[in-house]
Amino acid sequence: MKKFPGKIAVMGGGSWATALAKIVMHSQDSINWYMRRPDRIDDFNLLNHNPAYLSSITFDTARINFYHDINEAIRDSDTLILATPSPYIKDHLAKATASLADKYVISAIKGIVPDENMLVSDYLTKYYYVNADNIIVIAGACHAEEIAMEHLSYLTLVCRDLRKATTLSEKIFNTPYLHSSCSRDMIGLEYVSVLKNIYAIVAGICYGMKYGDNFQSVYIPNAFDEMVRFLNTVHPLRRNITSAAYLSDLLVTAYSSFSRNRLFGKMIGEGYSVNAAKVELGMVAEGYYAAKCIREINETYKVDMPILNALYAILYEHKSPAIQIRNITEGFK
């Protein structure tokens, strides 16, 4: 394998992919960038910005090698940054005939692989033979919109081989507006990235139902306690669970106006049906899929997760949000 990280490719055309491309281009002379739609690439070259997402970020397109063929992008790159919504990752990678086994893969996917009920790192290892030591996960609180505005932000780079995370932190993910830390807790932080979307939807539902800040200040610690119970059961480990790597992602996703999961929940709390909220949102709310996946995973572990169960009942059993939320509040402390 070439010296890490080598030639970097951003795989995806959405807001998070665009923010990551901005970060990478701060330190790299050029990048490869895979987008599924050739018309988006044409428009990008014409406008010097992503025509559909974060259009305020302008790029020097002379430094970007665009691809609409995923296999060409894979073959021409050493490190792949996967930045597509988790519900689509299976379909995207299914088109890949080029081997990923000799690549470094950075997963910026804050979700779980639907149907498989697998963390992205496990999915890459099992089905695409990526060396587990060559998988890096981007975790922590970091909205794409604030990267676009260069608001000071923080994230965590997670890898079993801590040297690779440190290299990325020092060479790529360290800019005047972005700081990064490193961790080895791959499983724990991947699950945090999944669970926080679930709890953000419920926070949004409560906000849409006019529950106030006093309530939210109690809801968040109870959601965090539920998250910790799950992590300690599924992947017991000595970890500083109140550090920013774990707690901040929950906080920003539950509170921020940029959070699509919170917005999705808010619409449900205001009276939208689940399907109407999905259509109105126009983007992927990862927590919708995560609620089903985590509930099915928890059938094995049987962790006490009343907030998860309430959301599942609302999203998949069409139960009343008002009744489900009232039921879980009785157990808050």
Side-chain angles (χ1 to χ4, degrees):
M1 299 183 74
K2 292 185 179 181
K3 186 176 180 180
F4 180 73
K7 189 66 175 181
I8 298 174
V10 175
M11 312 293 284
S15 57
W16 191 211
T18 304
L20 289 166
K22 173 184 171 71
I23 293 167
V24 174
M25 290 187 72
H26 181 84
S27 61
Q28 303 298 293
D29 293 333
S30 65
I31 64 167
N32 296 338
W33 195 340
Y34 163 73
M35 291 186 180
R36 180 176 55 88
R37 291 175 51 177
D39 60 318
R40 289 275 172 86
I41 295 174
D42 292 340
D43 290 342
F44 204 127
N45 277 314
L46 180 66
L47 301 168
N48 294 320
H49 65 72
N50 190 325
Y53 300 94
L54 300 186
S55 58
S56 64
I57 304 178
T58 57
F59 289 88
D60 179 1
T61 54
R63 297 167 54 205
I64 303 174
N65 305 306
F66 284 110
Y67 297 80
H68 62 82
D69 184 319
I70 191 172
N71 290 296
E72 288 184 8
I74 291 171
R75 282 191 289 265
D76 290 351
S77 308
D78 304 302
T79 296
L80 310 174
I81 301 180
L82 302 183
T84 59
S86 61
Y88 306 146
I89 189 61
K90 283 181 65 175
D91 289 342
H92 280 302
L93 291 180
K95 301 171 187 174
T97 56
S99 174
L100 274 69
D102 62 342
K103 305 296 180 182
Y104 303 104
V105 181
I106 301 174
S107 172
I109 302 170
K110 293 191 173 184
I112 199 164
V113 182
D115 302 325
E116 304 291 340
N117 289 351
M118 295 178 70
L119 297 173
V120 175
S121 62
D122 292 336
Y123 185 76
L124 292 170
T125 300
K126 180 175 181 179
Y127 292 106
Y128 291 92
Y129 311 108
V130 182
N131 186 326
D133 286 343
N134 292 333
I135 297 173
I136 302 95
V137 167
I138 296 177
C142 207
H143 279 307
E145 293 83 357
E146 295 207 349
I147 293 295
M149 294 182 285
E150 299 191 358
H151 289 180
L152 184 59
S153 302
Y154 297 79
L155 52 76
T156 301
L157 300 166
V158 195
C159 187
R160 293 200 329 182
D161 181 353
L162 200 61
R163 294 172 300 175
K164 293 188 178 74
T166 301
T167 296
L168 286 177
S169 175
E170 293 174 348
K171 294 186 176 181
I172 308 294
F173 292 94
N174 186 19
T175 74
Y177 55 87
L178 179 68
H179 298 309
S180 57
S181 58
C182 301
S183 173
R184 286 193 179 95
D185 187 11
M186 179 81 75
I187 295 173
L189 284 167
E190 276 197 277
Y191 270 125
V192 166
S193 294
V194 175
L195 291 163
K196 53 95 176 181
N197 290 326
I198 292 171
Y199 301 124
I201 292 178
V202 177
I205 291 173
C206 295
Y207 183 80
M209 293 171 57
K210 307 301 183 185
Y211 282 77
D213 291 341
N214 290 343
F215 171 81
Q216 293 283 4
S217 71
V218 174
Y219 164 72
I220 294 297
N222 278 272
F224 188 61
D225 284 347
E226 184 169 304
M227 177 188 290
V228 172
R229 286 198 300 272
F230 183 83
L231 292 182
N232 288 343
T233 302
V234 174
H235 185 54
L237 188 72
R238 289 189 63 184
R239 50 171 69 92
N240 181 7
I241 198 66
T242 58
S243 69
Y246 301 90
L247 182 56
S248 64
D249 213 1
L250 171 62
L251 292 175
V252 75
T253 313
Y255 282 129
S256 176
S257 59
F258 291 125
S259 170
R260 63 188 64 178
N261 287 281
R262 180 180 183 273
L263 178 57
F264 177 64
K266 176 176 175 288
M267 288 190 286
I268 293 172
E270 290 173 339
Y272 284 74
S273 69
V274 173
N275 287 335
K278 288 167 66 177
V279 171
E280 181 71 18
L281 184 66
M283 299 179 290
V284 174
E286 300 268 11
Y288 172 81
Y289 302 92
K292 183 174 185 292
C293 294
I294 295 295
R295 193 170 189 272
E296 291 174 355
I297 291 170
N298 197 41
E299 289 175 1
T300 298
Y301 295 101
K302 303 191 184 309
V303 179
D304 181 28
M305 302 184 77
I307 299 174
L308 166 69
N309 293 334
L311 181 61
Y312 180 88
I314 293 168
L315 297 181
Y316 291 95
E317 297 175 345
H318 310 294
K319 298 293 180 65
S320 163
I323 293 174
Q324 293 301 314
I325 297 302
R326 185 169 64 247
N327 287 343
I328 62 173
T329 61
E330 293 175 358
F332 285 179
K333 54 186 177 181

